[in-house]
Amino acid sequence: MNVFANIRVALRALATNKLRSVLTMLGIVIGVAAVVALMAIGNGATASITEQIEGIGSNLVTVFPGSFEHGGQRIQAALTYEDYMALEQHVERVNAIVANVSQGMQLTYAGNTVDVQVTATLPAYQQVRTVEVANGRFFLRSDGASRARVVVLGSQTATDLFAGLNPLGRTIRIGDVFFEVVGVLESKGGGGFGNEDEIALIPLETGYTRLFGRNAFSHGQRKVNDVSMSAATPEDVEWVMVQIERILRQRHGLKLSDDLDFTVFSQNAILETFDEITATLTIFLGAIAGISLLVGGIGIMNIMLVSVTERTREIGLRKAVGARRGTIMFQFLIETVVLSLIGGVTGIALGWGIAYGVSAADLVQADVQANTIAMAFFFAAFVGIFFGIYPASRAARLSPIEALRYE
Amino acid sequence: MDNGSVIRIESISKHYQMGDTTVRALDGVNLSVRAGEMLSIMGPSGSGKSTLMAILGCLDKPTDGRYWLDGSYVEDLRDTQLASIRGKKIGFVFQQFNLLARTSALENVMLPLIYAGVRGHDKRTQAEEALALVGLSDRMDHGPSELSGGQQQRVAIARALVNNPAILLADEPTGALDSKTGVELMDLFGKLHRERGLTLCVVTHDPEVAARTPRIVRLQDGRVTGDETE
C-alpha cells in the first residue's frame, strides 16, 4: 500500500468526522495564531524602540557625573565645564561635542504654562542629537557669546504653549526670565520615549549667566549635567569611550585602582540593553503562545485517543482485511499531522490577520517575519507528530480479534 | 499434507490465563477443509468456535499445534505476514457486518484491495464485479445507513470475495438478520459455492443455518465432537 493511498484513507476518515476535526483543529489554530501574532507584536515593538533609541543621535556617547559602585553605592562628583573643554580638545574621532545643563522649569506664554526640561547647550547639539529645525533657526555661537535670551522649542512644547499661533519672534517666560522664541524643532515622532519633543533649548552661556543661577555652580566652577558627543563612525565609539575615561581619570586625579566618579554611556550600550529586554519579552510572549500550542496538541491527542477507542472495531476490521500494524499507525499519524498542519496554516493566516489588525489600529507596528511563520509551521507539524504517536501506536497495537469483538 | 486441502490444522490448542485458572478454549483440535467445500462449525456459546475461527482466520495465534493454510505452513509468522495472509487468502464476514460508516458500498468493498496495493482502475473494476456477484450493482454508491441489514451483509460478502480468497470465513453471518433475510443469505452462499466453487466455512450456533451446509463439524468444550458429511 503506497503512501498516497494511505493519505487518502486518513483524509477520508477526517472528512467523515468534519465537526470533530474542525473543533480539534481549533486548539492548534489558536495556538499558532497566538505564536504568530505575539511574535509579530514583539518584533514590531523591538523595531520601534530600536528606531527611537537610534533617533536620539548617531554614535552617541554621553558622560554623566557620578557613578554606581558595586552594591549600589553612589559616588558623588561633579562634571564641570572645564572637563568639557578638555574633552573637546583632546578626544579624537569625534564629529561634534556639547556640554548640557538641564533643569525642569516652567514656561509661560499668555497664561499658558508648560513644565519642560530646559537644556542649556551649544549649537553643536544639532549634530550630536540629530535634530532638525522645522521653523526659524537654531541658536548660534554669537547668541552664546552675547548671552542672548533666545530659546528653541521642541515641537510638542511649541504646540502646548502657543496652541496654533506662530511662535517665532514671540516672547515667553522661563521661570522669571523673558526669552525670545527663535526656532521650533522638527518632531522626533514615535511618541513617548524620552519626551524628545517636550524640550526647550537655550545657549549654554545664557543658561549659566541668566537662568540657572547658583544651581549651575559648584565651588565656583560651572557644572554640566552631561557631555555628549557623536563618534565619527560606529567603530570609533569604543575608542572614544576609552579616551574619555583616560582624560577624565587624569583630570579628576583618579588612580587606576580607584572607581570612576563619572559614567560613560554609549547609545549602543542602551540599544544592547533594550535589545536584551525586548528579546526576553519576545521569548516570554512566544513561550506563553507556545503553551497554548501545547494545550492544543494535548487536545489533539485527547481527541485521537477517543477516536481510536471509538473506532476500535474499524481498526479491527481494517486489520482483518489486511492492514498491517505500520499501515494503521501511519494512518492515524497522518490524521493528526493533517489536522495540525491545516490548523497550523489556518493559525498562521489568523495570526497574520491579528498582526495586521493591531497595526491598522495603530497600537504597534507588528512585524510578521518569515522565520516566525516557518517556526510556527514546523512547531505545528511537530505537535501533530509528537501527540499523534501515542494514539497511533495504541491503534496499531490493538489485537485484531479483540478489536473486532469490542462493543 | 493432503492434496487439495485449503486448511489443515493438527492438535491446535488455545489457552487463556484467567487469574489463577487456565481456560482451555481449544484443546487439541484437528480439522481439514478441502478446496470447494462448504461446512459449518457448530457449537453452543463457549464451545470455542469463535476462537477456532480467529485462529483459522489468522487473527489470533494458537498456543500449540500446527496450521497449514492453502499449502503454506502458518506458524511463527510475524504480524505483518499474518496481515498479508488475511488480506490475500481469507475473506471475513461478521455478524455485525462491520462496514465503514459514511462510506459507500463500493469503497467498503475496495478496502482490502487498498491494503493489498491494487492500483486505481483495477481496484474499481474488481470491486464492481464483487458487488455484481452479490446482486448489488445498483446500490454501489449507497452508504451503510441507506442499506437494509441483508444488503449490508451482502456488501460485507462482496468485500470478503473481492480478493478471491482461498476461504471465506463467516462468523454467525445471519445472527443480526431476520429469519427470511437469513435464509436468502444462506441461499446466496449456496449459489456462490455451487457456481464459483467458493470454499466456505460458517461458524454458527443455529442448527437451521448449519443444516444448509453439506458438512457439519460439532464443537464442544474446545474439542471436536462430531464431523458429519451428508
Side-chain angles (χ1 to χ4, degrees):
Chain A
M1 175 170 185
N2 64 43
V3 174
F4 293 107
N6 211 338
I7 289 174
R8 274 201 296 277
V9 168
L11 288 178
R12 179 170 301 281
L14 290 177
T16 51
N17 270 307
K18 280 192 196 67
L19 180 64
R20 181 158 75 189
S21 302
V22 168
L23 288 176
T24 309
M25 236 182 261
L26 212 54
I28 292 293
V29 171
I30 291 170
V32 169
V35 169
V36 171
L38 289 179
M39 294 296 277
I41 289 168
N43 289 333
T46 307
S48 106
I49 289 172
T50 306
E51 194 185 321
Q52 286 183 27
I53 293 172
E54 280 171 350
I56 294 170
S58 57
N59 310 324
L60 186 68
V61 178
T62 305
V63 191
F64 296 104
S67 72
F68 288 101
E69 256 185 309
H70 297 295
Q73 191 71 32
R74 186 167 172 94
I75 297 176
Q76 294 279 4
L79 205 59
T80 64
Y81 187 75
E82 278 65 39
D83 288 328
Y84 155 73
M85 292 297 286
L87 293 173
E88 201 266 333
Q89 276 172 24
H90 299 298
V91 179
E92 295 164 351
R93 299 192 211 162
V94 162
N95 279 348
I97 175 165
V98 290
N100 298 313
V101 185
S102 329
Q103 196 171 321
M105 297 192 84
Q106 193 168 63
L107 274 55
T108 314
Y109 176 78
N112 288 345
T113 63
V114 289
D115 289 298
V116 298
Q117 194 73 11
V118 175
T119 301
T121 185
L122 296 164
Y125 185 92
Q126 262 196 292
Q127 288 90 62
V128 173
R129 304 297 294 266
T130 59
V131 293
E132 298 291 334
V133 176
N135 261 322
R137 62 174 178 87
F138 208 79
F139 47 78
L140 310 168
R141 282 200 169 277
S142 55
D143 291 319
S146 62
R147 283 107 171 98
R149 292 188 306 244
V150 292
V151 62
V152 175
L153 300 177
S155 60
Q156 189 62 46
T157 310
T159 310
D160 292 347
L161 208 53
F162 292 98
L165 291 175
N166 181 3
L168 294 185
R170 294 183 194 272
T171 302
I172 62 165
R173 220 174 67 213
I174 302 177
D176 297 326
V177 185
F178 290 94
F179 279 80
E180 186 196 344
V181 180
V182 294
V184 177
L185 299 176
E186 259 180 22
S187 170
K188 283 234 173 181
F193 188 77
N195 294 326
E196 284 287 295
D197 292 333
E198 293 183 29
I199 54 171
L201 303 174
I202 60 171
L204 186 63
E205 293 83 352
T206 311
Y208 281 129
T209 54
R210 298 190 190 270
L211 191 62
F212 296 136
R214 280 190 296 122
N215 292 339
F217 291 86
S218 163
H219 305 294
Q221 289 204 301
R222 289 178 289 182
K223 288 195 296 186
V224 298
N225 287 66
D226 66 85
V227 177
S228 295
M229 63 209 83
S230 71
T233 68
E235 290 73 35
D236 290 331
V237 168
E238 203 69 24
W239 169 238
V240 167
M241 291 173 80
V242 169
Q243 293 178 84
I244 292 170
E245 196 178 316
R246 182 175 50 76
I247 293 165
L248 289 185
R249 261 186 192 281
Q250 201 175 7
R251 284 189 49 82
H252 293 193
L254 299 172
K255 294 197 290 282
L256 271 176
S257 56
D258 289 341
D259 283 322
L260 296 178
D261 61 357
F262 55 90
T263 306
V264 188
F265 224 61
S266 77
Q267 177 205 334
N268 299 16
I270 303 174
L271 212 54
E272 276 165 25
T273 310
F274 268 95
D275 275 351
E276 274 171 36
I277 293 170
T278 52
T280 311
L281 197 71
T282 305
I283 290 168
F284 182 66
L285 290 177
I288 290 176
I291 288 171
S292 66
L293 202 50
L294 188 74
V295 172
I298 292 170
I300 284 200
M301 178 154 81
N302 189 13
I303 292 291
M304 289 312 291
L305 283 174
V306 170
S307 177
V308 166
T309 308
E310 198 186 80
R311 287 153 72 190
T312 298
R313 284 170 72 94
E314 176 195 322
I315 294 161
L317 174 88
R318 287 181 186 276
K319 287 193 158 188
V321 300
R324 295 169 181 187
R325 205 179 258 222
T327 318
I328 296 287
M329 171 104 189
F330 195 52
Q331 179 195 330
F332 277 83
L333 204 52
I334 284 179
E335 282 187 33
T336 51
V337 170
V338 165
L339 273 181
S340 26
L341 284 189
I342 295 176
V345 170
T346 314
I348 286 169
L350 183 64
W352 209 322
I354 292 171
Y356 183 81
V358 166
S359 304
D362 221 17
L363 298 172
V364 175
Q365 215 53 40
D367 179 17
V368 180
Q369 293 180 351
N371 58 7
T372 306
I373 288 176
M375 193 193 74
F377 186 82
F378 285 113
F379 201 16
F382 171 76
V383 162
I385 292 168
F386 184 81
F387 289 106
I389 280 177
Y390 179 61
S393 74
R394 274 258 293 244
R397 280 202 313 266
L398 282 174
S399 136
I401 189 65
E402 278 166 27
L404 280 166
R405 284 183 192 148
Y406 183 83
E407 293 296 330
Chain B
M1 67 177 275
D2 293 8
N3 47 351
S5 280
V6 173
I7 280 176
R8 181 173 161 78
I9 57 176
E10 284 179 1
S11 45
I12 287 281
S13 297
K14 180 72 182 177
H15 300 166
Y16 298 103
Q17 201 68 35
M18 300 270 272
D20 290 340
T21 55
T22 303
V23 178
R24 294 168 189 276
L26 291 176
D27 200 5
V29 174
N30 298 308
L31 182 69
S32 137
V33 178
R34 277 179 286 106
E37 238 188 322
M38 181 172 176
L39 77 155
S40 10
I41 295 173
M42 216 186 107
S45 67
S47 60
K49 60 185 192 301
S50 292
T51 308
L52 181 56
M53 184 186 133
I55 288 170
L56 291 180
C58 297
L59 292 168
D60 208 352
K61 289 178 185 174
T63 314
D64 203 6
R66 282 174 290 173
Y67 178 14
W68 290 268
L69 173 67
D70 200 24
S72 48
Y73 186 54
V74 185
E75 190 160 307
D76 299 329
L77 286 182
R78 284 182 295 117
D79 283 352
T80 53
Q81 290 165 306
L82 289 179
S84 167
I85 286 174
R86 285 197 296 270
K88 286 172 183 156
K89 298 200 169 174
I90 295 166
F92 289 99
V93 175
F94 303 97
Q95 183 175 357
Q96 294 299 338
F97 323 140
N98 281 330
L99 300 179
L100 297 187
R102 279 158 288 184
T103 306
S104 74
L106 185 68
E107 282 166 340
N108 263 295
V109 174
M110 279 173 9
L111 194 62
L113 299 176
I114 293 176
Y115 290 119
V118 178
R119 299 271 163 188
H121 188 69
D122 294 348
K123 205 162 60 187
R124 195 183 172 89
T125 315
Q126 287 183 38
E128 282 172 358
E129 282 171 6
L131 278 164
L133 275 179
V134 299
L136 280 178
S137 291
D138 54 339
R139 297 277 168 157
M140 291 195 298
D141 299 323
H142 290 55
S145 59
E146 300 165 309
L147 298 170
S148 71
Q151 287 169 332
Q152 288 185 56
Q153 195 59 301
R154 273 146 69 195
V155 173
I157 293 169
R159 182 180 62 196
L161 291 174
V162 75
N163 267 345
N164 286 318
I167 185 166
L168 191 151
L169 297 171
D171 187 6
E172 302 280 9
T174 61
L177 303 174
D178 62 65
S179 53
K180 180 170 167 285
T181 317
V183 169
E184 283 171 12
L185 193 86
M186 291 310 292
D187 289 343
L188 176 62
F189 276 144
K191 180 167 161 273
L192 290 168
H193 168 64
R194 278 192 313 277
E195 293 178 3
R196 299 185 58 86
L198 179 70
T199 313
L200 183 70
C201 175
V202 181
V203 175
T204 184
H205 71 281
D206 185 350
E208 284 188 32
V209 171
R212 300 291 305 268
T213 64
R215 181 181 170 196
I216 301 177
V217 174
R218 290 178 199 279
L219 213 61
Q220 186 120 32
D221 297 331
R223 290 169 176 276
V224 177
T225 55
D227 190 343
E228 309 139 28
T229 308
E230 276 176 6

